[in-house]
Amino acid sequence: MRVSRMWAAAGLAVAAVVAAGAVPAQAATLPFGTVRSIVQQVPFSTANPKTFALPCNAGERVLGGGAFTVGGVHAVITEMQPIHPATGPDSFQVTAAADQFGIAGTWSMQVFAFCAVVPASVQLEIRTLTNPPTSATVDQAVTRCSPGKVVMSTGGRIDNGNGQVDLGTVPTSSGILATGSSAIAKEDADGFAGFYTVTGYSVCGRPNLLASDFQMRRVQVAAAAGVSSLSNLTFCPSGTQLTGFAGYTDLFGTHLQRLTPNLAGGRTAFGGTFGAQSSVTPTFAWNMDTTIFCAQ
């Protein structure tokens, strides 16, 4: 029954494609090599939860980011948040927490951020929505870009889930562009008795040339019952660079572990690697939904 509800919730995340008209061809919105991929290893410790905000340089804007937990199947990502503050540098913040089984010994995570000097013409924005507290087995917060803009990255945050509610994000389209995204929270295999909140983020921008300057690639990877981990590597179209991720698993007890960039040389990422795992052996087939956002 809970699995059926999960599939129904996932179905809510598919929506409209871009309806904006094309604009005259111009130079690339973000020329290849201008988006920097940076990483920080959080020190190993027994602290729980762990939160780290990785800042961009002065004058740069954060487009998106990723995470990689190092602590076994009971380390759960609960926040991947792009931050555009009123003052100070932009940053990408990640939180991970141990579930109710805990983590033996020290553990860590890696935090990634994608930073760039963004032209004013992009009109970069973060659209955000926080849902009311809930005890539902699944909840999602849908955010949509302003008219004429498309998604360059996604994010989400779960508050008060105590590591028993994991985070996923999906775009609201299966094509090459999306105008919004959904942050999805789902409880673990044995549920969560408390109330939690989920917040969604869409990082949006206006391209010079629609369906060329900004593109996304969305791939679903399937696992049979009894399989406890999944991985997937997806590449950006030639000449484009990674600006962000979306990822999600559809079965209770499974969760994302890895959303990391693959570098083309220097600090420019040309694709992404996803990983997911299960805290219990799955008794049903399950899927990992992966999306990379790319720009030129």
Side-chain angles (χ1 to χ4, degrees):
M1 176 65 79
R2 298 180 74 184
V3 175
S4 298
R5 288 199 297 268
M6 187 68 255
W7 279 111
L12 295 173
V14 178
V17 196
V18 175
V23 297
Q26 303 178 43
T29 303
L30 292 172
F32 187 80
T34 60
V35 180
R36 271 192 330 129
S37 176
I38 57 177
V39 60
Q40 178 67 51
Q41 176 78 50
V42 177
F44 279 81
S45 73
T46 58
N48 179 50
K50 299 183 190 298
T51 298
F52 187 85
L54 181 56
C56 295
N57 289 339
E60 293 180 329
R61 308 308 310 270
V62 72
L63 303 177
F68 187 8
T69 61
V70 185
V73 298
H74 299 298
V76 178
I77 297 171
T78 60
E79 178 186 23
M80 291 187 292
Q81 181 184 357
I83 300 174
H84 292 175
T87 59
D90 285 12
S91 63
F92 194 82
Q93 181 165 291
V94 173
T95 298
D99 64 19
Q100 73 268 34
F101 296 104
I103 298 172
T106 61
W107 61 289
S108 178
M109 63 183 182
Q110 292 179 342
V111 178
F112 298 84
F114 309 131
C115 306
V117 177
V118 178
S121 60
V122 176
Q123 300 176 29
L124 192 69
E125 65 177 1
I126 298 178
R127 304 287 286 179
T128 181
L129 175 69
T130 300
N131 284 355
T134 182
S135 60
T137 56
V138 178
D139 194 27
Q140 61 177 327
V142 180
T143 50
R144 302 192 183 280
C145 298
S146 298
K149 298 182 183 181
V150 297
V151 177
M152 301 175 68
S153 185
T154 69
R157 188 181 78 242
I158 296 167
D159 292 307
N160 303 315
N162 295 349
Q164 298 179 62
V165 184
D166 72 89
L167 173 67
T169 59
V170 294
T172 56
S173 170
S174 295
I176 63 169
L177 294 169
T179 57
S181 68
S182 176
I184 305 176
K186 73 176 187 301
E187 296 182 352
D188 62 16
D190 60 359
F192 176 59
F195 283 76
Y196 65 88
T197 59
V198 58
T199 301
Y201 305 94
S202 288
V203 180
C204 306
R206 186 183 299 275
N208 288 336
L209 188 62
L210 195 65
S212 174
D213 283 2
F214 296 161
Q215 296 185 44
M216 72 178 196
R217 289 195 168 178
R218 187 174 183 181
V219 178
Q220 191 173 83
V221 185
V227 176
S228 295
S229 65
L230 279 174
S231 62
N232 179 57
L233 169 61
T234 305
F235 296 97
C236 288
S238 178
T240 65
Q241 61 206 318
L242 185 68
T243 61
F245 293 115
Y248 168 68
T249 64
D250 65 358
L251 182 65
F252 298 102
T254 64
H255 54 87
L256 294 170
Q257 178 205 17
R258 179 177 185 177
L259 305 91
T260 60
N262 295 320
L263 299 180
R267 293 283 187 174
T268 301
F270 62 95
T273 297
F274 295 82
Q277 56 194 357
S278 180
S279 56
V280 295
T281 301
T283 55
F284 295 91
W286 57 289
N287 296 276
M288 178 175 64
D289 192 308
T290 67
T291 302
I292 57 172
F293 298 91
C294 307
Q296 66 176 4

